[in-house]
Amino acid sequence: VQLQASGGGLVQPGGSLSLSCARSGSISSIYFMSWYRQAPGKQRELVATISGAKTKTYADSVKGRFTISVDNAWSTVHLQMNNLKPEDTAVYYCHSDLRSSARGPRSTYWGKGTQVTVSS
């Protein structure tokens, strides 16, 4: 399983960006697909999660501004980010918690990050 994140960039405060995370490789079960972020000098933090039952959870700092979604095949997870603030500046990473085959182990995977910079 590989994850490829895209969609980062530079945006002004109040603007919007949409991140995508494309998954390749076979899967048997999805437990969670998530977006994390890491700002300079800070620990990586969970931004948003969507469970296999499509239950969505958000960090308090992004509630009402960010939306996580997934296509029906669970091949791409999106993060729509609206009303961006300078404190949203970070490298964003996608993460998956899944089972690649019915008899295989439950495993987690990270994609390479994509930089989001919010600045005027």
Side-chain angles (χ1 to χ4, degrees):
V1 173
Q2 291 187 327
L3 304 175
Q4 181 67 51
S6 61
L10 173 64
V11 64
Q12 292 186 341
S16 298
L17 277 177
S18 180
L19 305 183
S20 295
C21 176
R23 176 194 54 77
S24 60
S26 62
I27 59 169
S28 173
S29 302
I30 292 272
Y31 298 100
F32 298 98
M33 294 289 290
S34 306
W35 285 96
Y36 286 75
R37 68 186 180 187
Q38 188 166 19
K42 295 188 177 181
Q43 289 188 332
R44 192 172 295 189
E45 63 173 354
L46 178 63
V47 175
T49 294
I50 184 165
S51 73
K54 295 193 175 178
T55 300
K56 302 175 184 181
T57 306
Y58 299 94
D60 287 344
S61 59
V62 306
K63 281 181 182 176
R65 301 189 296 121
F66 290 12
T67 302
I68 189 170
S69 62
V70 64
D71 64 13
N72 288 335
W74 288 88
S75 61
T76 306
V77 178
H78 303 279
L79 185 68
Q80 177 65 39
M81 305 184 294
N82 297 327
N83 191 21
L84 283 159
K85 303 176 181 180
E87 51 263 43
D88 295 318
T89 295
V91 178
Y92 284 69
Y93 299 89
C94 58
H95 177 268
S96 66
D97 179 354
L98 54 81
R99 196 181 300 273
S100 59
S101 64
R103 295 185 177 184
R106 178 173 174 174
S107 302
T108 60
Y109 302 86
W110 288 97
K112 292 184 180 179
T114 185
Q115 176 71 46
V116 171
T117 303
V118 185
S119 174
S120 55

